[in-house]
Amino acid sequence: MKKGDPMRQQMRHQKKTKKPLILTIIISLLVLIVLCVIFFFPLNNMLRNATGNDTPSDKAVKSELVKRVKARKTGDSKKDEKIDRAASVLGKKKMSEIMSAADSQDKTATLIEDSSALTKEQSQKAAQEIFSNNEYSGLRTAINNGNWYQAYQQYQKLSNNGELNQLQQDINQK
C-alpha cells in the first residue's frame, strides 16, 4: 500500500470514526450516571409521595438503621428487649413519618418516645436539644428532604465530633 492508496485512506478513515464513537458512548454513559445521582433523591421522594409507601431505597435505609439499633445489644435481657422493641417500631414506621418528624420538635419527641426506652420527659429533652442545637440542623434537613446519603454524612460528623455522645449523656443525667 502506497501513501496515496485509496485502501489505506479508507482504513485511516475507519480508525478516526471509531474513536469519536467510543468517546461519545463513554461521555453519554458518564452524563447518564451523573444525572441519575443528581436526580435520585428527588425521584425517590416523588415515588414515595405518589404511592404513600416506602421506596426500595427507604427500605434499605431503614434496614440499616434497624441493624445499627440491634447492634447496641448488651446481653442484658431487659436492655435487649427494649432495643428489640425500638428496632421493631422503627422498622414498621413509614419513612414519610420519620421525615416529617425531622421538621417538627413535637413529632420528633413522639418518635423518640415510641421507638426508645426513654421517658416522655427525656424524649422531649432530646427533641429540644436536637432542634435548639445548630449542630443537628444539617441532619434534620437531610432527613426531612429524604437525602439519605447526606443524612449518613451528617450522622458520621455528629458521631465523630462527640455531639451524639454528649446528647446521650445529657439525657441520661436528667
Side-chain angles (χ1 to χ4, degrees):
M1 284 190 219
K2 292 185 181 174
K3 223 178 194 184
D5 190 8
M7 211 41 189
R8 186 175 178 166
Q9 288 176 352
Q10 185 179 6
M11 286 175 53
R12 185 179 295 144
H13 180 69
Q14 284 179 346
K15 286 182 182 178
K16 286 182 180 178
T17 59
K18 283 185 181 181
K19 285 182 183 178
L21 179 63
I22 291 172
L23 189 60
T24 302
I25 291 172
I26 291 172
I27 290 173
S28 298
L29 287 173
L30 288 174
V31 168
L32 185 62
I33 290 169
V34 167
L35 288 174
C36 287
V37 168
I38 290 171
F39 292 110
F40 174 76
F41 295 111
L43 291 173
N44 187 53
N45 292 340
M46 185 179 74
L47 180 62
R48 181 187 318 101
N49 292 337
T51 64
N53 296 321
D54 288 346
T55 64
S57 160
D58 293 341
K59 290 176 184 176
V61 168
K62 278 200 307 188
S63 174
E64 185 62 30
L65 182 60
V66 167
K67 282 182 195 175
R68 287 185 182 261
V69 169
K70 286 186 174 187
R72 298 191 67 121
K73 287 186 176 182
T74 62
D76 179 356
S77 62
K78 287 184 180 183
K79 287 183 181 180
D80 290 352
E81 184 179 323
K82 291 176 182 179
I83 290 171
D84 284 335
R85 183 181 151 275
S88 176
V89 169
L90 283 174
K92 292 176 184 173
K93 287 276 183 199
K94 285 190 175 189
M95 195 55 86
S96 57
E97 292 177 59
I98 295 171
M99 290 170 60
S100 70
D103 199 31
S104 163
Q105 185 172 330
D106 291 335
K107 288 180 182 180
T108 298
T110 302
L111 178 64
I112 292 170
E113 183 181 0
D114 290 348
S115 61
S116 73
L118 297 179
T119 65
K120 184 174 185 168
E121 292 77 26
Q122 288 174 318
S123 299
Q124 288 172 341
K125 173 135 178 69
Q128 180 182 6
E129 177 65 20
I130 291 168
F131 276 81
S132 65
N133 186 337
N134 286 335
E135 292 287 330
Y136 294 98
S137 62
L139 177 62
R140 287 188 299 104
T141 301
I143 292 171
N144 189 41
N145 293 336
N147 187 336
W148 308 129
Y149 178 70
Q150 184 182 9
Y152 179 73
Q153 287 181 319
Q154 290 295 315
Y155 166 78
Q156 291 291 19
K157 177 184 163 193
L158 292 168
S159 294
N160 292 337
N161 72 11
E163 284 294 327
L164 292 178
N165 287 336
Q166 186 62 48
L167 176 63
Q168 189 174 17
Q169 289 174 3
D170 291 347
I171 292 168
N172 290 331
Q173 285 178 356
K174 298 179 174 146

